[in-house]
């Protein structure tokens, strides 16, 4: 996770090496990279975005903004940004159900 979110250089090197074998290899490696970043446990307070999602969204956005639009690396970081935003929205929708006023 940190290897990919701390800077784009590592992702660029990995994707460039995978691309040497063909686009299907780059796609498979990109999927593995994506899984490495989003996997793991998540903890946080109900009704609040998870710190991990906020960090992923913000770092991925910053890194993607510095890359060539449409490049494999830029697409990778945009996918991480979108995944974090979608997870935050999913949690907000589901956490709202926890606060429906019932006495448990």
């Amino acid at each position: 996770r940190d290897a990919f979110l701390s800077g784009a250089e590592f992702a660029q090197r990995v994707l460039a090496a995978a691309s040497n074998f063909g686009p299907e290899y780059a796609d498979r490696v990109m999927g593995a990279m994506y899984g490495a970043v989003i996997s793991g446990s998540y903890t946080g307070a109900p009704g609040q975005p998870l710190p991990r999602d906020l960090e992923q969204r913000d770092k991925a956005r910053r890194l993607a903004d510095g890359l060539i639009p449409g490049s494999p690396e830029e697409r990778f970081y945009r996918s991480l940004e979108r995944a974090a935003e979608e997870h935050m929205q999913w949690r907000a929708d589901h956490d709202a159900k926890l606060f429906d006023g019932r006495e448990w």
Side-chain angles (χ1 to χ4, degrees):
R1 177 177 169 82
D2 290 338
F4 295 114
L5 292 179
S6 63
E9 298 81 19
F10 182 60
Q12 288 171 315
R13 287 196 329 257
V14 170
L15 289 171
S19 294
N20 288 332
F21 296 98
E24 66 276 3
Y25 289 95
D27 289 343
R28 291 170 73 184
V29 168
M30 191 180 304
M33 292 165 45
Y34 179 88
V37 174
I38 67 164
S39 66
S41 61
Y42 286 74
T43 59
Q48 299 294 317
L50 297 176
R52 180 178 170 136
D53 287 338
L54 293 169
E55 176 193 32
Q56 178 179 317
R57 181 199 61 195
D58 295 345
K59 286 184 175 184
R61 180 180 295 151
R62 181 181 49 80
L63 290 167
D65 287 347
L67 296 168
I68 297 168
S71 68
E73 299 84 10
E74 192 259 353
R75 289 186 295 114
F76 169 66
Y77 285 110
R78 294 291 178 209
S79 71
L80 292 176
E81 178 185 3
R82 279 190 309 277
E85 289 174 346
E86 289 169 2
H87 191 250
M88 287 188 286
Q89 185 60 53
W90 180 87
R91 275 191 45 100
D93 294 344
H94 285 74
D95 285 354
K97 294 176 185 175
L98 295 173
F99 303 109
D100 63 359
R102 286 187 278 174
E103 297 283 333
W104 294 93

XYZ file of all heavy atoms in Angstrom:
820
model
N 0.826 -1.182 0.000
C 0.000 0.000 0.000
C 0.874 1.251 0.000
O 0.719 2.123 -0.831
C -0.930 -0.061 1.222
C -1.791 1.142 1.380
C -2.733 0.984 2.573
N -3.379 2.212 2.875
C -4.451 2.659 2.246
N -4.989 1.951 1.301
N -4.971 3.823 2.570
N 1.767 1.341 0.967
C 2.614 2.527 1.064
C 3.547 2.667 -0.131
O 3.866 3.775 -0.532
C 3.425 2.498 2.357
C 2.560 2.716 3.589
O 1.451 3.281 3.456
O 2.973 2.302 4.678
N 3.980 1.543 -0.682
C 4.884 1.605 -1.836
C 4.230 2.327 -3.005
O 4.907 3.015 -3.769
C 5.310 0.205 -2.254
N 2.919 2.180 -3.154
C 2.226 2.808 -4.274
C 1.694 4.193 -3.929
O 1.604 5.053 -4.807
C 1.089 1.918 -4.768
C 1.580 0.631 -5.354
C 1.308 -0.568 -4.743
C 2.354 0.623 -6.506
C 1.771 -1.765 -5.275
C 2.829 -0.557 -7.047
C 2.539 -1.755 -6.433
N 1.341 4.447 -2.675
C 0.768 5.741 -2.320
C 1.806 6.783 -1.912
O 1.483 7.956 -1.807
C -0.265 5.577 -1.201
C -1.533 4.830 -1.590
C -2.464 4.699 -0.391
C -2.242 5.513 -2.742
N 3.036 6.357 -1.706
C 4.068 7.324 -1.310
C 4.682 8.047 -2.497
O 5.324 9.078 -2.329
C 5.153 6.641 -0.483
O 5.814 5.664 -1.264
N 4.497 7.527 -3.684
C 5.014 8.169 -4.888
C 4.694 7.324 -6.100
O 4.426 6.124 -5.976
N 4.730 7.946 -7.268
C 4.343 7.241 -8.491
C 5.502 6.502 -9.151
O 5.273 5.705 -10.056
C 3.735 8.230 -9.482
N 6.724 6.726 -8.704
C 7.881 6.153 -9.383
C 7.845 4.624 -9.398
O 8.125 3.992 -10.424
C 9.186 6.627 -8.728
C 9.407 8.117 -8.791
C 8.633 8.887 -7.713
O 8.215 8.274 -6.702
O 8.439 10.091 -7.902
N 7.505 4.026 -8.265
C 7.473 2.575 -8.188
C 6.402 2.013 -9.131
O 6.652 1.069 -9.878
C 7.239 2.116 -6.753
C 7.236 0.622 -6.578
C 8.353 -0.140 -6.905
C 6.121 -0.025 -6.081
C 8.359 -1.519 -6.737
C 6.113 -1.404 -5.913
C 7.231 -2.148 -6.242
N 5.222 2.603 -9.104
C 4.141 2.161 -9.998
C 4.553 2.310 -11.457
O 4.273 1.431 -12.283
C 2.864 2.951 -9.728
N 5.231 3.393 -11.784
C 5.686 3.603 -13.160
C 6.658 2.513 -13.580
O 6.550 1.976 -14.684
C 6.336 4.983 -13.296
C 5.328 6.109 -13.243
C 5.989 7.474 -13.161
O 6.929 7.682 -12.394
N 5.486 8.405 -13.953
N 7.602 2.170 -12.705
C 8.580 1.132 -13.039
C 7.917 -0.228 -13.199
O 8.222 -0.978 -14.124
C 9.676 1.068 -11.972
C 10.633 2.235 -12.022
C 11.924 2.019 -11.241
N 11.832 1.169 -10.080
C 11.790 1.599 -8.809
N 11.816 2.891 -8.564
N 11.742 0.757 -7.814
N 7.003 -0.552 -12.290
C 6.325 -1.852 -12.346
C 5.496 -1.961 -13.616
O 5.549 -2.969 -14.334
C 5.450 -2.063 -11.090
C 4.558 -3.272 -11.241
C 6.326 -2.196 -9.852
N 4.722 -0.927 -13.929
C 3.868 -0.973 -15.122
C 4.679 -0.957 -16.409
O 4.315 -1.614 -17.385
C 2.856 0.168 -15.098
C 1.766 0.007 -14.041
C 0.931 1.279 -13.934
C 0.884 -1.185 -14.350
N 5.797 -0.236 -16.417
C 6.653 -0.229 -17.609
C 7.237 -1.617 -17.851
O 7.266 -2.096 -18.992
C 7.766 0.804 -17.451
N 7.662 -2.272 -16.780
C 8.214 -3.624 -16.928
C 7.144 -4.593 -17.410
O 7.392 -5.419 -18.300
C 8.799 -4.094 -15.598
N 5.948 -4.496 -16.864
C 4.859 -5.397 -17.273
C 4.462 -5.135 -18.721
O 4.152 -6.069 -19.464
C 3.660 -5.221 -16.350
N 4.480 -3.886 -19.138
C 4.102 -3.529 -20.506
C 5.045 -4.124 -21.539
O 4.650 -4.341 -22.686
C 4.062 -2.011 -20.666
O 3.029 -1.479 -19.886
N 6.267 -4.390 -21.150
C 7.222 -5.005 -22.076
C 6.749 -6.378 -22.544
O 7.174 -6.850 -23.598
C 8.598 -5.139 -21.422
C 9.285 -3.807 -21.269
O 9.059 -2.882 -22.037
N 10.132 -3.699 -20.264
N 5.891 -7.014 -21.768
C 5.380 -8.333 -22.121
C 4.028 -8.272 -22.823
O 3.514 -9.291 -23.251
C 5.280 -9.209 -20.867
C 6.612 -9.482 -20.247
C 7.052 -8.730 -19.170
C 7.445 -10.467 -20.756
C 8.296 -8.965 -18.598
C 8.679 -10.709 -20.193
C 9.115 -9.959 -19.105
N 3.453 -7.072 -22.903
C 2.181 -6.899 -23.592
C 1.149 -6.231 -22.709
O 1.273 -6.219 -21.479
N 0.124 -5.658 -23.335
C -0.886 -4.922 -22.573
C -1.665 -5.786 -21.590
O -2.068 -5.317 -20.531
C -1.811 -4.335 -23.640
C -1.479 -5.029 -24.909
C -0.119 -5.617 -24.768
N -1.872 -7.055 -21.929
C -2.620 -7.917 -21.002
C -1.846 -8.126 -19.700
O -2.432 -8.239 -18.625
C -2.986 -9.255 -21.647
C -1.813 -10.153 -21.967
C -1.115 -9.868 -23.297
O -1.488 -8.915 -24.002
O -0.181 -10.610 -23.618
N -0.508 -8.150 -19.781
C 0.303 -8.285 -18.578
C 0.236 -7.014 -17.746
O 0.158 -7.068 -16.515
C 1.748 -8.631 -18.922
C 1.892 -10.032 -19.434
C 1.898 -10.293 -20.800
C 1.996 -11.095 -18.556
C 2.003 -11.590 -21.275
C 2.110 -12.399 -19.021
C 2.108 -12.633 -20.388
O 2.215 -13.919 -20.842
N 0.270 -5.885 -18.403
C 0.156 -4.613 -17.686
C -1.180 -4.536 -16.962
O -1.244 -4.094 -15.803
C 0.330 -3.443 -18.652
N -2.254 -4.974 -17.605
C -3.574 -4.953 -16.969
C -3.619 -5.885 -15.756
O -4.180 -5.533 -14.721
C -4.663 -5.356 -17.966
C -4.928 -4.297 -19.019
O -4.517 -3.127 -18.816
O -5.538 -4.639 -20.042
N -3.026 -7.062 -15.891
C -3.019 -8.013 -14.778
C -2.193 -7.483 -13.609
O -2.590 -7.606 -12.445
C -2.496 -9.365 -15.238
C -3.489 -10.055 -16.187
C -2.917 -11.275 -16.839
N -2.818 -12.367 -15.868
C -2.278 -13.531 -16.153
N -1.769 -13.765 -17.351
N -2.232 -14.482 -15.248
N -1.058 -6.895 -13.913
C -0.208 -6.334 -12.864
C -0.916 -5.143 -12.208
O -0.876 -4.990 -10.982
C 1.174 -5.953 -13.429
C 1.959 -5.104 -12.449
C 1.952 -7.205 -13.787
N -1.582 -4.323 -13.015
C -2.302 -3.192 -12.461
C -3.400 -3.681 -11.504
O -3.607 -3.090 -10.449
C -2.919 -2.320 -13.557
C -3.444 -1.009 -13.022
S -4.204 0.077 -14.266
C -2.909 0.262 -15.456
N -4.050 -4.760 -11.851
C -5.053 -5.337 -10.961
C -4.449 -5.800 -9.648
O -5.036 -5.622 -8.575
N -3.286 -6.398 -9.717
C -2.603 -6.843 -8.498
C -2.168 -5.646 -7.648
O -2.269 -5.675 -6.412
C -1.404 -7.713 -8.862
N -1.692 -4.591 -8.305
C -1.307 -3.376 -7.587
C -2.520 -2.771 -6.878
O -2.438 -2.367 -5.712
C -0.693 -2.365 -8.558
C 0.643 -2.779 -9.117
S 1.214 -1.833 -10.570
C 0.884 -0.147 -10.155
N -3.632 -2.716 -7.591
C -4.880 -2.181 -7.047
C -5.276 -2.985 -5.799
O -5.598 -2.412 -4.759
C -5.951 -2.264 -8.124
C -7.311 -1.773 -7.734
C -7.653 -0.434 -7.873
C -8.272 -2.647 -7.246
C -8.912 0.018 -7.528
C -9.533 -2.204 -6.895
C -9.846 -0.870 -7.043
O -11.092 -0.426 -6.699
N -5.222 -4.302 -5.908
C -5.564 -5.161 -4.778
C -4.644 -4.940 -3.586
O -5.088 -4.973 -2.432
N -3.374 -4.702 -3.855
C -2.424 -4.460 -2.770
C -2.763 -3.189 -2.003
O -2.567 -3.114 -0.787
C -1.003 -4.367 -3.323
N -3.285 -2.208 -2.691
C -3.615 -0.942 -2.037
C -4.936 -1.028 -1.279
O -5.038 -0.547 -0.153
C -3.652 0.226 -3.052
C -4.132 1.509 -2.400
C -2.284 0.435 -3.675
N -5.945 -1.645 -1.864
C -7.266 -1.603 -1.228
C -7.520 -2.725 -0.232
O -8.471 -2.654 0.543
C -8.401 -1.577 -2.271
C -8.470 -2.884 -3.050
C -8.275 -0.381 -3.189
C -9.762 -3.068 -3.791
N -6.686 -3.764 -0.230
C -6.931 -4.878 0.690
C -6.513 -4.498 2.111
O -5.793 -3.541 2.330
C -6.177 -6.120 0.228
O -4.791 -5.908 0.330
N -6.999 -5.266 3.041
C -6.663 -5.037 4.433
C -7.875 -4.652 5.237
O -8.987 -4.559 4.724
N -7.647 -4.411 6.509
C -8.759 -4.088 7.393
C -8.997 -2.579 7.422
O -8.094 -1.788 7.200
C -8.476 -4.597 8.800
O -7.312 -3.978 9.310
N -10.239 -2.245 7.679
C -10.663 -0.851 7.761
C -11.299 -0.639 9.125
O -12.144 -1.435 9.540
C -11.719 -0.551 6.690
C -11.199 -0.449 5.281
C -10.820 -1.562 4.561
C -11.101 0.791 4.666
C -10.365 -1.457 3.261
C -10.644 0.909 3.370
C -10.276 -0.222 2.668
O -9.821 -0.106 1.389
N -10.921 0.406 9.816
C -11.559 0.746 11.080
C -11.841 2.235 11.103
O -11.120 3.033 10.506
C -10.676 0.384 12.287
O -9.437 1.093 12.173
C -10.406 -1.106 12.363
N -12.911 2.584 11.786
C -13.266 3.984 11.901
C -14.574 4.144 12.642
O -15.236 3.172 12.999
N -14.938 5.381 12.862
C -16.166 5.694 13.580
C -17.353 5.666 12.624
O -17.255 6.183 11.506
C -16.054 7.069 14.219
N -18.467 5.087 13.064
C -19.666 5.099 12.216
C -20.075 6.539 11.887
O -19.976 7.433 12.716
C -20.731 4.425 13.094
C -19.965 3.609 14.067
C -18.694 4.363 14.315
N -20.508 6.725 10.667
C -20.946 8.036 10.228
C -19.826 8.954 9.767
O -20.075 10.069 9.324
N -18.589 8.497 9.874
C -17.431 9.299 9.473
C -16.659 8.569 8.385
O -16.563 7.341 8.412
C -16.495 9.528 10.664
C -17.117 10.268 11.809
C -17.452 11.692 11.436
O -16.679 12.378 10.790
N -18.639 12.128 11.831
N -16.082 9.307 7.431
C -15.228 8.636 6.440
C -14.039 7.984 7.143
O -13.537 8.494 8.139
C -14.746 9.774 5.533
C -15.601 10.940 5.837
C -16.158 10.744 7.215
N -13.639 6.865 6.621
C -12.490 6.183 7.203
C -11.206 6.939 6.866
O -11.020 7.369 5.720
C -12.392 4.761 6.667
C -13.565 3.844 7.003
C -13.380 2.496 6.321
C -13.693 3.671 8.502
N -10.315 7.104 7.843
C -9.047 7.784 7.561
C -8.291 7.136 6.396
O -7.668 7.829 5.588
C -8.266 7.654 8.871
C -9.324 7.503 9.923
C -10.441 6.743 9.260
N -8.374 5.828 6.302
C -7.684 5.113 5.229
C -8.247 5.514 3.856
O -7.496 5.679 2.904
C -7.837 3.615 5.474
C -7.184 2.761 4.448
C -7.367 1.295 4.816
N -6.950 0.482 3.706
C -6.220 -0.594 3.815
N -5.825 -1.004 4.986
N -5.881 -1.282 2.753
N -9.558 5.662 3.756
C -10.175 6.086 2.496
C -9.791 7.514 2.146
O -9.501 7.821 0.986
C -11.702 5.979 2.571
C -12.197 4.550 2.517
O -11.467 3.677 2.015
O -13.335 4.316 2.970
N -9.798 8.387 3.140
C -9.416 9.781 2.894
C -7.972 9.871 2.410
O -7.673 10.597 1.453
C -9.602 10.614 4.163
C -11.035 10.814 4.627
C -11.069 11.425 6.023
C -11.790 11.679 3.638
N -7.102 9.124 3.073
C -5.690 9.127 2.677
C -5.527 8.595 1.247
O -4.825 9.197 0.435
C -4.869 8.275 3.634
C -3.414 8.156 3.218
C -2.671 7.069 3.980
O -3.273 6.053 4.361
O -1.457 7.248 4.142
N -6.185 7.480 0.957
C -6.073 6.885 -0.377
C -6.588 7.849 -1.439
O -5.941 8.056 -2.461
C -6.863 5.579 -0.437
C -6.839 4.911 -1.800
C -7.618 3.614 -1.783
O -7.504 2.826 -0.850
N -8.405 3.389 -2.815
N -7.746 8.442 -1.202
C -8.311 9.369 -2.184
C -7.383 10.558 -2.421
O -7.071 10.906 -3.557
C -9.672 9.873 -1.700
C -10.317 10.839 -2.699
C -11.377 11.686 -2.086
N -10.830 12.513 -1.011
C -11.580 13.125 -0.117
N -12.892 12.989 -0.131
N -11.027 13.877 0.818
N -6.925 11.175 -1.336
C -6.117 12.384 -1.467
C -4.754 12.109 -2.095
O -4.307 12.854 -2.973
C -5.950 13.055 -0.103
C -7.268 13.561 0.459
O -8.268 13.654 -0.298
O -7.309 13.849 1.674
N -4.099 11.047 -1.662
C -2.781 10.734 -2.227
C -2.891 10.292 -3.679
O -2.075 10.689 -4.517
C -2.077 9.662 -1.390
C -1.565 10.188 -0.072
C -0.787 9.138 0.686
C -0.173 9.712 1.938
N 0.661 8.714 2.631
N -3.892 9.465 -3.982
C -4.057 9.010 -5.364
C -4.364 10.185 -6.281
O -3.832 10.274 -7.393
C -5.159 7.960 -5.449
N -5.196 11.105 -5.827
C -5.527 12.293 -6.634
C -4.283 13.138 -6.884
O -4.029 13.568 -8.014
C -6.593 13.124 -5.930
C -6.989 14.384 -6.700
C -8.041 15.185 -5.973
N -9.266 14.402 -5.899
C -10.165 14.511 -4.920
N -9.974 15.356 -3.932
N -11.252 13.768 -4.941
N -3.520 13.370 -5.831
C -2.307 14.185 -5.969
C -1.325 13.542 -6.943
O -0.759 14.214 -7.805
C -1.644 14.367 -4.600
C -0.378 15.220 -4.639
C 0.260 15.354 -3.266
N 0.437 14.099 -2.550
C 1.431 13.238 -2.781
N 2.318 13.483 -3.715
N 1.537 12.129 -2.067
N -1.155 12.228 -6.827
C -0.226 11.535 -7.720
C -0.742 11.547 -9.157
O 0.024 11.805 -10.092
C 0.005 10.103 -7.237
C 0.804 9.991 -5.930
C 0.704 8.592 -5.359
C 2.250 10.402 -6.148
N -2.017 11.281 -9.342
C -2.593 11.258 -10.696
C -2.496 12.629 -11.358
O -2.231 12.724 -12.559
C -4.049 10.794 -10.643
N -2.683 13.683 -10.580
C -2.611 15.040 -11.129
C -1.239 15.370 -11.703
O -1.115 16.212 -12.580
C -2.980 16.077 -10.070
C -4.469 16.109 -9.758
O -5.275 15.513 -10.508
O -4.828 16.734 -8.735
N -0.202 14.678 -11.214
C 1.154 14.922 -11.686
C 1.596 14.024 -12.827
O 2.748 14.084 -13.253
N 0.692 13.183 -13.322
C 1.054 12.220 -14.369
C 0.419 12.600 -15.706
O -0.500 13.416 -15.764
C 0.601 10.814 -13.957
C 1.289 10.267 -12.698
C 0.578 9.031 -12.195
C 2.756 9.975 -12.992
N 0.924 12.000 -16.762
C 0.404 12.247 -18.105
C -1.020 11.705 -18.190
O -1.251 10.524 -17.907
C 1.297 11.577 -19.163
C 2.699 12.181 -19.121
C 0.681 11.703 -20.557
C 3.724 11.402 -19.931
N -1.986 12.564 -18.555
C -3.369 12.093 -18.682
C -3.479 10.909 -19.649
O -2.912 10.920 -20.732
C -4.120 13.315 -19.223
C -3.296 14.479 -18.771
C -1.865 13.992 -18.830
N -4.173 9.873 -19.201
C -4.373 8.692 -20.025
C -3.277 7.652 -19.921
O -3.425 6.548 -20.446
N -2.179 7.983 -19.241
C -1.097 7.006 -19.085
C -1.569 5.890 -18.149
O -2.490 6.079 -17.355
C 0.154 7.677 -18.512
O -0.074 8.094 -17.172
N -0.935 4.721 -18.237
C -1.331 3.635 -17.328
C -1.243 4.031 -15.854
O -2.105 3.679 -15.060
C -0.350 2.506 -17.659
C 0.083 2.773 -19.052
C 0.097 4.278 -19.187
N -0.217 4.775 -15.519
C -0.045 5.189 -14.129
C -1.152 6.145 -13.702
O -1.686 6.027 -12.600
C 1.324 5.868 -13.932
C 2.491 4.993 -14.240
C 2.865 4.949 -15.722
O 2.327 5.757 -16.512
O 3.677 4.104 -16.092
N -1.503 7.064 -14.568
C -2.575 8.009 -14.240
C -3.895 7.263 -14.080
O -4.661 7.516 -13.145
C -2.676 9.085 -15.328
C -3.563 10.262 -14.937
C -4.957 10.213 -15.539
O -5.224 9.326 -16.380
O -5.783 11.035 -15.155
N -4.165 6.314 -14.959
C -5.395 5.521 -14.851
C -5.420 4.713 -13.556
O -6.463 4.598 -12.908
C -5.557 4.602 -16.063
C -5.886 5.358 -17.334
C -6.187 4.454 -18.523
N -5.015 3.677 -18.939
C -4.894 2.354 -18.853
N -5.885 1.611 -18.400
N -3.792 1.745 -19.253
N -4.285 4.176 -13.173
C -4.190 3.418 -11.925
C -4.549 4.295 -10.730
O -5.392 3.920 -9.902
C -2.770 2.849 -11.772
C -2.479 2.268 -10.421
C -3.136 1.126 -9.982
C -1.538 2.849 -9.596
C -2.861 0.582 -8.736
C -1.259 2.312 -8.345
C -1.917 1.170 -7.914
N -3.948 5.467 -10.653
C -4.218 6.336 -9.514
C -5.631 6.909 -9.546
O -6.252 7.075 -8.495
C -3.154 7.434 -9.408
C -1.862 6.871 -8.882
C -0.749 6.742 -9.699
C -1.769 6.420 -7.570
C 0.427 6.190 -9.211
C -0.602 5.863 -7.077
C 0.497 5.756 -7.902
O 1.651 5.198 -7.423
N -6.173 7.157 -10.712
C -7.577 7.603 -10.787
C -8.515 6.489 -10.323
O -9.526 6.756 -9.676
C -7.956 8.048 -12.197
C -7.260 9.283 -12.697
C -7.696 10.531 -11.981
N -6.922 11.656 -12.514
C -6.615 12.724 -11.830
N -7.020 12.866 -10.577
N -5.900 13.689 -12.370
N -8.174 5.239 -10.622
C -9.019 4.134 -10.162
C -8.967 4.021 -8.639
O -9.985 3.728 -8.007
C -8.626 2.812 -10.829
O -7.390 2.341 -10.350
N -7.814 4.272 -8.045
C -7.716 4.258 -6.586
C -8.500 5.407 -5.970
O -9.147 5.244 -4.929
C -6.252 4.336 -6.147
C -5.380 3.129 -6.444
C -3.939 3.411 -6.034
C -5.907 1.893 -5.736
N -8.435 6.556 -6.609
C -9.199 7.715 -6.140
C -10.705 7.406 -6.172
O -11.421 7.629 -5.190
C -8.873 8.919 -7.021
C -9.632 10.174 -6.673
C -9.373 11.311 -7.649
O -8.640 11.130 -8.657
O -9.935 12.387 -7.414
N -11.180 6.877 -7.297
C -12.603 6.538 -7.430
C -13.015 5.462 -6.433
O -14.096 5.543 -5.843
C -12.910 6.051 -8.851
C -13.100 7.154 -9.856
C -13.636 6.620 -11.181
N -12.891 5.489 -11.722
C -11.784 5.575 -12.437
N -11.272 6.758 -12.727
N -11.173 4.492 -12.882
N -12.168 4.457 -6.240
C -12.500 3.384 -5.302
C -12.681 3.931 -3.891
O -13.619 3.526 -3.178
C -11.411 2.308 -5.321
N -11.818 4.833 -3.475
C -11.942 5.418 -2.138
C -13.225 6.239 -2.025
O -13.948 6.145 -1.029
C -10.722 6.284 -1.832
N -13.526 7.029 -3.057
C -14.757 7.832 -3.034
C -15.990 6.934 -2.996
O -16.942 7.205 -2.253
C -14.803 8.763 -4.239
C -13.799 9.892 -4.133
C -13.718 10.752 -5.381
O -14.226 10.344 -6.440
O -13.133 11.838 -5.280
N -15.983 5.868 -3.784
C -17.118 4.946 -3.802
C -17.268 4.233 -2.463
O -18.391 4.035 -1.990
C -16.968 3.943 -4.941
C -17.156 4.570 -6.304
C -16.758 3.664 -7.450
O -16.358 2.503 -7.211
O -16.830 4.123 -8.599
N -16.166 3.869 -1.833
C -16.239 3.205 -0.533
C -16.767 4.162 0.523
O -17.574 3.776 1.384
C -14.877 2.636 -0.123
C -14.957 1.743 1.058
N -14.443 2.083 2.282
C -15.536 0.522 1.221
C -14.677 1.108 3.142
N -15.344 0.143 2.528
N -16.341 5.420 0.472
C -16.851 6.398 1.426
C -18.356 6.599 1.240
O -19.100 6.696 2.221
C -16.103 7.729 1.293
C -14.701 7.671 1.852
S -13.874 9.276 1.914
C -13.507 9.532 0.176
N -18.822 6.653 0.002
C -20.249 6.806 -0.256
C -21.019 5.578 0.206
O -22.086 5.701 0.808
C -20.509 7.056 -1.750
C -21.960 7.341 -2.070
C -22.480 8.571 -1.351
O -21.898 9.639 -1.438
N -23.565 8.429 -0.612
N -20.493 4.407 -0.058
C -21.141 3.175 0.377
C -21.282 3.153 1.890
O -22.341 2.835 2.429
C -20.339 1.965 -0.109
C -20.942 0.655 0.288
C -21.892 -0.056 -0.378
C -20.642 -0.096 1.479
N -22.204 -1.211 0.309
C -21.447 -1.264 1.456
C -19.779 0.093 2.537
C -21.410 -2.208 2.469
C -19.737 -0.858 3.548
C -20.551 -1.997 3.507
N -20.204 3.507 2.588
C -20.255 3.537 4.058
C -21.247 4.562 4.549
O -21.993 4.306 5.497
C -18.877 3.830 4.644
C -18.027 2.582 4.787
C -16.786 2.845 5.618
N -17.015 3.605 6.820
C -17.127 3.074 8.042
N -17.033 1.785 8.201
N -17.307 3.849 9.091
N -21.276 5.732 3.934
C -22.224 6.770 4.359
C -23.655 6.275 4.209
O -24.487 6.475 5.096
C -22.001 8.045 3.551
N -23.942 5.618 3.105
C -25.288 5.085 2.876
C -25.641 4.009 3.901
O -26.752 3.980 4.423
C -25.407 4.500 1.467
C -25.296 5.544 0.382
O -25.421 6.757 0.685
O -25.068 5.150 -0.780
N -24.702 3.130 4.187
C -24.968 2.034 5.114
C -24.899 2.482 6.579
O -25.654 1.987 7.408
C -24.015 0.867 4.858
C -24.386 0.102 3.638
N -24.172 0.588 2.373
C -25.003 -1.086 3.486
C -24.619 -0.278 1.492
N -25.136 -1.301 2.132
N -24.016 3.407 6.896
C -23.933 3.899 8.268
C -25.197 4.660 8.651
O -25.600 4.653 9.812
C -22.707 4.792 8.464
C -21.412 4.008 8.532
O -21.474 2.756 8.540
O -20.344 4.642 8.550
N -25.829 5.304 7.687
C -27.068 6.030 7.969
C -28.124 5.090 8.529
O -28.948 5.498 9.356
C -27.573 6.720 6.709
N -28.088 3.854 8.138
C -29.049 2.866 8.642
C -28.818 2.564 10.125
O -29.737 2.139 10.816
C -28.964 1.583 7.824
C -29.413 1.770 6.398
C -29.226 0.508 5.594
C -29.565 0.765 4.134
N -29.290 -0.394 3.296
N -27.603 2.783 10.608
C -27.313 2.544 12.022
C -27.970 3.590 12.919
O -28.197 3.352 14.099
C -25.801 2.556 12.266
C -24.976 1.462 11.616
C -23.487 1.731 11.836
C -25.360 0.106 12.160
N -28.233 4.752 12.374
C -28.751 5.875 13.148
C -30.200 6.173 12.789
O -30.573 7.308 12.560
C -27.882 7.113 12.912
C -26.441 6.896 13.245
C -25.494 6.812 12.251
C -26.034 6.748 14.560
C -24.150 6.591 12.563
C -24.705 6.534 14.875
C -23.763 6.451 13.874
N -31.034 5.137 12.804
C -32.403 5.317 12.379
C -33.359 5.576 13.546
O -34.567 5.542 13.379
C -32.865 4.110 11.555
C -32.859 2.825 12.366
O -32.499 2.827 13.534
O -33.228 1.790 11.776
N -32.803 5.808 14.719
C -33.627 6.186 15.846
C -34.186 5.021 16.660
O -34.873 5.244 17.648
N -33.917 3.803 16.297
C -34.447 2.660 17.059
C -33.598 2.407 18.309
O -32.407 2.662 18.319
C -34.439 1.395 16.194
C -35.526 1.411 15.157
C -35.587 0.089 14.453
N -34.561 0.086 13.403
C -34.260 -0.969 12.667
N -34.873 -2.120 12.850
N -33.362 -0.897 11.734
N -34.224 1.888 19.312
C -33.531 1.421 20.519
C -33.139 -0.026 20.290
O -33.985 -0.882 20.143
C -34.448 1.526 21.741
C -34.862 2.917 22.095
C -33.749 3.681 22.813
O -32.923 3.023 23.456
O -33.734 4.898 22.686
N -31.894 -0.310 20.248
C -31.454 -1.688 20.015
C -31.404 -2.363 21.314
O -30.970 -2.898 22.003
C -30.108 -1.711 19.289
C -30.228 -1.168 17.913
C -30.014 0.113 17.527
C -30.640 -1.869 16.748
N -30.243 0.248 16.195
C -30.623 -0.952 15.668
C -31.017 -3.165 16.476
C -30.966 -1.296 14.381
C -31.350 -3.499 15.189
C -31.314 -2.564 14.151
